[in-house]
Amino acid sequence: MGIPRRGFLVRRQLLQLVLFHAVSWEMGSGLLHYSVLEESQHGTFVGRIAQDLGLEVDELMHRMFRMESQGRGNYFEVNLQNGILFVNSRIDREELCVKNADCAVHLEVIMDKPLRIFHAEVEIKDINDNPPIFSAGKQTLTVAESMLPGAHFPLQAATDADIGSNSQRKYKLNSTEFFAVEEKVNDQHSISLVLVLNKPLDREKIAVHHLLLTATDGGQPELTGRVHLEITVIDANDNAPVFNQPVYKVKLFENVPDGTLVIHPNSTDLDEGINQEISYSFTNNDPSNIFTIDSDTGEIKVKGKVDFEENSVYSIEIEAKDKGSPPLSGHCTILIEILDVNDNAPEMLLKSMMVPLPEDSPPGTVVALISISDKDSGANGQVSCSLWPPGLPFKLVSTFRNYHSLVLAEPLDREQVAEFGLVVIAQDQGDPSLSASSSLVLPISDINDNAPIFSQPSYTVFVKENNPPGAHIFTVSASDPDVAENALVSYWLDEKLWPLSSYISIHSESGRVYALQPLDYEELKMLEFYVRAKDAGLPSLCSNVTVQVFVVDENDNAPSVLGPKGGPIPLMVPIMAGQIVGKIHALDADSAYNAWLHYELHELSSGPWQVGRYSGEISTTRALDKAEGSSTYDLLVLVKDHGKQPQSATATLSVSLMFTLQMIHVDAHLPGMGGNPGALVDNGNVYLIISICAVSSLFLLAVIIYVALRCQSQAKEAMVYGPGTATLVCASEVGSWSYSNRHSHILAGVSGEACAKNDLMVFSPNIPIFAENGELRNGKQLLPDPSGEVSSKGFP
């Protein structure tokens, strides 16, 4: 009746012990320990894990409280509303831990913000839910009637899947005067069940004895199992085989090949003939199916896989039976201890916690969780953990037993290394050692920690004047080593120092700079401003660069001729050869070669006259005397600049030669102006004296005016700059203008006329020269040499 009542007894036991639990801390280990009965129903209270960990219940959801259990099965769960750990699914201790005395489920409790990891262990308590079970419902024995009282006959004991007191068994036979059942314990604490003969048998009275053997465990309530014993009493052979020792102990390495000899037990029989012939067999038929016995010799050999991890000790009952009639038998126990070899590599479970890993993660950030196990024992099961390759900014930290954390050890920089590949290696201490590895790829996510960088520290740009409005003049470029929006660069002009919106604009995405209006060199020679580059990160970073835009002069202004004011200048003959009789003053609003002027007489002009090519001075080519008579010369002077498309102007000079009582009239006109001839005076001496005084006065006045004009021109040539000025310095008569390189923000030109530029030449340093097709010629310009040939000269 014990077997049908099993379900009722289990349910009653669960109802009585459903509230049983215990909570304790293992001091110094940081392990939270609970216990619960197996077969507990879903929702059974295990413990207040949140309270025991010192956590607030209302922060469980916010900090992403979660729990993971080692091995298969999701046996437990936590109620996030109250922090209570409860049973989630049915737990069968016998299925989970078999016959192990210690049975526990290890839990990992993980919380984020910040990341914390706790360890808990729930011990599974055994309940008496398994009755003793015999391997068969009936056992058959043969007993010779000649056996004396006290003879022992081995029985196959019952097994109980429970442990502790729940698996302790007591045996009882139904009422009989011939037999009793006993448990015998050898020196190895191995229990065997024997049937003891209490009273001599008489086959003639009772040939077959039918007994009922009951096994009862020590649980509450008790569970029972039964087996029928059929004992046949036979006559004859009265000496059973006897082994030389009741228990044999053997040590055997696991994984030995099939056919390996385990032991050769020895037994003897005092009978003779057929009653002495012995056959050997397993009394329990070797349920492991790992060993085989030779029925004639009794040799025990390996026939299957011997695995220490499955079973470390085998206890085998051997029967030696003679061939008498009835046959008699002797028994012994073979205890086989399996020795472990290092045949199991470590097993690793790696869980990534942060992928990708932000490059600003502080040292100590947990990157992954690693759990390692090894089925071997002793040194073969002791595992060490390491990282490869060395030198990576990570380290392994042991958290609990075979649990490790992969932790960031050094600061990261995605711009140097964007991704790490590492291998976690677990190696046991066996000989030879075995290892396991797991690869992990850790991409590094970008943060905006780099400002845009311009391709050069400053930009110097040269633009021809008279450009079309909206012309693209150059492009700035900045790069950002970050990625995605952190590397998306936009540009804008910094107008805090100068208002630039009417001159320059920049495309925010491409960095292309445009001139919004035509630039005029005579008004604006240089623009200096800042361009800022900003990325799209949060927060954004920016940098700036200085841009200098030099306006390159074009020959867009013709020379302007200035004539002397006042009446005619009387000149007396004779006149020496090479004597200067007048000078043409002209200037050009352009610069450099475009303002370098030269003078020449028109081919229609005739007479003994010549003009200085660069000075504009009119002089005689030969001596003039009275032989010339009174004559008037109209001289047409051409003034030209040196631009690629030269521009010119003309000046007409009327020269009258007089002698004796006549005056010489010199008139200089701008084109379209007429001359005023002087009146003649009869008295030659008076006119001579007047002429000399007038010439001297005019000469002195001309010198004073010339000096004043030169000073005024130098003052006006100082252009309006920002912090500094550009200065014109006069060189030799046939030389050139020199141009100081003191440039800054030029926002406006200088009003008014400059000094006479017939003897000045402007050279702007490092200004490129453009060919007719608009291309640069590397600072070289075609210059005329004094011989009139064209030569190539570089700017200083």
Side-chain angles (χ1 to χ4, degrees):
M1 292 299 293
I3 295 178
R5 297 180 57 194
R6 174 187 173 186
F8 170 76
L9 295 175
V10 170
R11 288 193 298 270
R12 188 177 67 178
Q13 189 176 34
L14 288 175
L15 290 175
Q16 292 174 348
L17 300 178
V18 69
L19 297 178
F20 174 83
H21 73 281
V23 179
S24 65
W25 284 91
E26 292 183 7
M27 298 303 294
S29 68
L31 177 66
L32 192 61
H33 184 83
Y34 300 93
S35 62
V36 69
L37 295 176
E38 68 169 328
E39 302 294 344
S40 296
Q41 296 181 0
H42 173 77
T44 299
F45 174 86
V46 179
R48 300 183 182 276
I49 190 169
Q51 179 180 348
D52 296 335
L53 293 175
L55 303 175
E56 295 295 335
V57 175
D58 55 359
E59 69 177 344
L60 299 182
M61 295 286 291
H62 173 69
R63 294 186 59 187
M64 298 178 65
F65 181 97
R66 59 192 183 276
M67 184 180 68
E68 296 183 9
S69 60
Q70 182 183 13
R72 57 188 179 87
N74 187 16
Y75 297 115
F76 301 96
E77 191 58 66
V78 174
N79 188 335
L80 300 182
Q81 303 299 323
N82 52 26
I84 292 178
L85 179 68
F86 63 91
V87 175
N88 187 46
S89 61
R90 172 183 175 271
I91 306 174
D92 188 347
R93 187 192 182 285
E94 288 71 33
E95 178 183 352
L96 183 64
C97 301
V98 195
K99 296 288 288 184
N100 290 332
D102 296 326
C103 183
V105 176
H106 187 86
L107 304 175
E108 285 183 349
V109 180
I110 304 172
M111 294 190 69
D112 291 333
K113 303 176 182 180
L115 179 64
R116 294 188 63 188
I117 301 172
F118 306 92
H119 296 272
E121 192 175 71
V122 181
E123 180 184 2
I124 309 304
K125 296 288 188 178
D126 183 50
I127 64 172
N128 192 25
D129 59 340
N130 291 280
I133 298 175
F134 291 93
S135 60
K138 180 180 179 180
Q139 295 187 28
T140 302
L141 299 175
T142 56
V143 179
E145 65 175 349
S146 59
M147 296 296 296
L148 299 177
H152 292 177
F153 306 94
L155 295 175
Q156 186 173 352
T159 60
D160 196 324
D162 296 320
I163 61 171
S165 61
N166 294 331
S167 66
Q168 294 177 359
R169 296 171 297 279
K170 297 180 294 183
Y171 296 92
K172 180 181 179 181
L173 282 175
N174 60 333
S175 179
T176 177
E177 59 181 346
F178 294 98
F179 298 95
V181 64
E182 293 181 1
E183 289 182 289
K184 299 187 66 177
V185 180
N186 55 31
D187 56 355
Q188 296 299 317
H189 303 285
S190 177
I191 300 175
S192 59
L193 186 64
V194 295
L195 187 67
V196 181
L197 181 62
N198 289 334
K199 184 179 178 179
L201 301 174
D202 188 354
R203 188 194 65 83
E204 286 70 20
K205 292 183 178 180
I206 304 175
V208 177
H209 293 262
H210 296 278
L211 304 176
L212 181 62
L213 177 63
T214 302
T216 305
D217 62 24
Q220 291 295 331
E222 295 178 345
L223 300 178
T224 60
R226 294 177 175 83
V227 64
H228 292 275
L229 301 180
E230 184 179 282
I231 303 173
T232 302
V233 180
I234 57 176
D235 194 13
N237 189 21
D238 57 354
N239 288 289
V242 178
F243 287 94
N244 58 358
Q245 62 187 69
V247 178
Y248 294 86
K249 299 178 182 178
V250 181
K251 292 185 178 181
L252 181 68
F253 282 102
E254 66 172 330
N255 299 330
V256 294
D258 289 356
T260 299
L261 177 65
V262 179
I263 192 173
H264 185 189
N266 184 30
S267 66
T268 59
D269 193 314
L270 299 178
D271 294 324
E272 292 181 351
I274 195 172
N275 293 329
Q276 195 182 32
E277 295 180 8
I278 300 173
S279 64
Y280 299 89
S281 64
F282 295 128
T283 59
N284 55 2
N285 297 321
D286 183 24
S288 62
N289 293 322
I290 294 177
F291 304 101
T292 184
I293 187 170
D294 189 305
S295 61
D296 295 329
T297 64
E299 291 181 345
I300 299 175
K301 296 182 179 180
V302 175
K303 73 168 183 177
K305 181 180 179 181
V306 180
D307 192 349
F308 171 86
E309 287 70 41
E310 291 185 3
N311 201 341
S312 60
V313 177
Y314 291 91
S315 178
I316 302 175
E317 299 291 334
I318 305 298
E319 180 183 58
K321 182 184 294 187
D322 62 24
K323 297 181 179 180
S325 181
L328 301 178
S329 61
H331 303 83
C332 72
T333 301
I334 309 294
L335 293 178
I336 304 175
E337 180 183 358
I338 307 301
L339 302 179
D340 183 44
V341 298
N342 194 24
D343 60 340
N344 291 280
E347 296 179 358
M348 181 185 305
L349 179 61
L350 190 149
K351 300 177 182 178
S352 299
M353 302 300 293
M354 298 186 68
V355 176
L357 183 63
E359 65 174 318
D360 61 344
S361 299
T365 300
V366 177
V367 179
L369 298 178
I370 304 167
S371 62
I372 302 171
S373 61
D374 195 312
K375 295 179 180 179
D376 295 319
S377 63
N380 297 331
Q382 296 179 3
V383 182
S384 61
C385 196
S386 61
L387 287 178
W388 189 90
L392 296 179
F394 301 97
K395 64 180 180 179
L396 288 172
V397 177
S398 178
T399 57
F400 179 78
R401 294 179 183 172
N402 288 332
Y403 292 86
H404 299 77
S405 295
L406 180 63
V407 177
L408 181 63
E410 301 173 8
L412 300 174
D413 188 354
R414 189 207 64 82
E415 286 68 43
Q416 294 185 2
V417 181
E419 183 179 83
F420 290 94
L422 54 86
V423 180
V424 181
I425 301 174
Q427 187 171 17
D428 61 30
Q429 298 182 14
D431 187 17
S433 65
L434 300 178
S435 63
S437 63
S438 181
S439 299
L440 181 63
V441 177
L442 291 175
I444 308 302
S445 61
D446 183 53
I447 64 169
N448 192 25
D449 57 346
N450 292 278
I453 301 174
F454 283 94
S455 58
Q456 56 191 73
S458 64
Y459 291 88
T460 301
V461 183
F462 299 93
V463 180
K464 288 183 179 181
E465 66 174 329
N466 303 321
N467 56 279
H472 169 238
I473 56 177
F474 72 107
T475 301
V476 296
S477 177
S479 61
D480 196 314
D482 295 321
V483 295
E485 65 275 2
N486 295 333
L488 186 62
V489 180
S490 59
Y491 306 87
W492 81 97
L493 296 175
D494 186 358
E495 299 193 47
K496 294 180 180 179
L497 298 178
W498 307 102
L500 302 172
S501 58
S502 61
Y503 293 95
I504 297 295
S505 70
I506 188 169
H507 192 275
S508 62
E509 295 181 359
S510 65
R512 293 168 66 92
V513 179
Y514 300 91
L516 299 179
Q517 62 181 5
L519 302 177
D520 189 352
Y521 175 82
E522 287 71 39
E523 295 182 359
L524 185 66
K525 291 180 173 56
M526 187 189 78
L527 279 172
E528 182 177 1
F529 52 89
Y530 292 110
V531 174
R532 292 188 178 273
K534 179 176 70 174
D535 59 33
L538 289 176
S540 62
L541 301 176
C542 64
S543 60
N544 57 58
V545 69
T546 302
V547 179
Q548 291 181 328
V549 178
F550 289 92
V551 181
V552 180
D553 184 47
E554 291 282 302
N555 192 22
D556 57 348
N557 291 281
S560 177
V561 179
L562 303 177
K565 310 297 181 182
I569 302 175
L571 296 176
M572 298 295 294
V573 293
I575 299 174
M576 301 294 292
Q579 181 175 338
I580 298 174
V581 298
K583 186 172 184 179
I584 302 299
H585 292 276
L587 50 81
D588 195 313
D590 294 322
S591 179
Y593 283 97
N594 298 328
W596 187 18
L597 305 180
H598 66 274
Y599 306 84
E600 60 184 39
L601 287 176
H602 196 275
E603 58 184 6
L604 298 180
S605 301
S606 60
W609 313 102
Q610 65 181 5
V611 63
R613 180 172 178 81
Y614 297 107
S615 65
E617 295 176 340
I618 306 297
S619 61
T620 59
T621 59
R622 55 183 174 81
L624 301 178
D625 53 20
K626 295 179 180 181
E628 299 293 330
S630 298
S631 60
T632 299
Y633 297 90
D634 291 326
L635 303 180
L636 182 61
V637 180
L638 297 178
V639 183
K640 295 182 179 180
D641 58 29
H642 283 73
K644 292 184 179 180
Q645 301 294 331
Q647 300 199 42
S648 62
T650 61
T652 302
L653 183 65
S654 296
V655 180
S656 296
L657 297 181
M658 298 181 182
F659 55 92
T660 308
L661 298 178
Q662 294 181 340
M663 294 287 293
I664 298 175
H665 299 274
V666 180
D667 296 321
H669 307 276
L670 291 173
M673 294 181 61
N676 291 319
L680 297 178
V681 181
D682 293 336
N683 192 335
N685 292 331
V686 174
Y687 281 104
L688 179 59
I689 294 173
I690 294 174
S691 297
I692 292 173
C693 293
V695 168
S696 299
S697 300
L698 289 173
F699 177 76
L700 181 59
L701 180 61
V703 171
I704 294 174
I705 293 174
Y706 180 77
V707 173
L709 291 175
R710 287 296 299 271
C711 294
Q712 182 182 4
S713 66
Q714 290 184 4
K716 291 182 179 180
E717 277 296 321
M719 299 298 180
V720 177
Y721 282 70
T725 60
T727 306
L728 293 175
V729 182
C730 208
S732 64
E733 183 177 281
V734 296
S736 61
W737 293 353
S738 64
Y739 187 79
S740 69
N741 192 23
R742 296 165 57 197
H743 291 82
S744 181
H745 304 273
I746 302 179
L747 297 179
V750 177
S751 61
E753 299 294 340
C755 67
K757 295 185 180 178
N758 57 307
D759 58 344
L760 299 178
M761 187 68 188
V762 174
F763 286 98
S764 295
N766 300 324
I767 296 178
I769 303 304
F770 293 85
E772 293 180 358
N773 59 0
E775 296 180 354
L776 294 176
R777 289 189 176 178
N778 299 324
K780 292 186 177 181
Q781 170 73 16
L782 297 178
L783 301 178
D785 60 16
S787 63
E789 298 293 334
V790 176
S791 63
S792 176
K793 298 176 67 178
F795 284 93

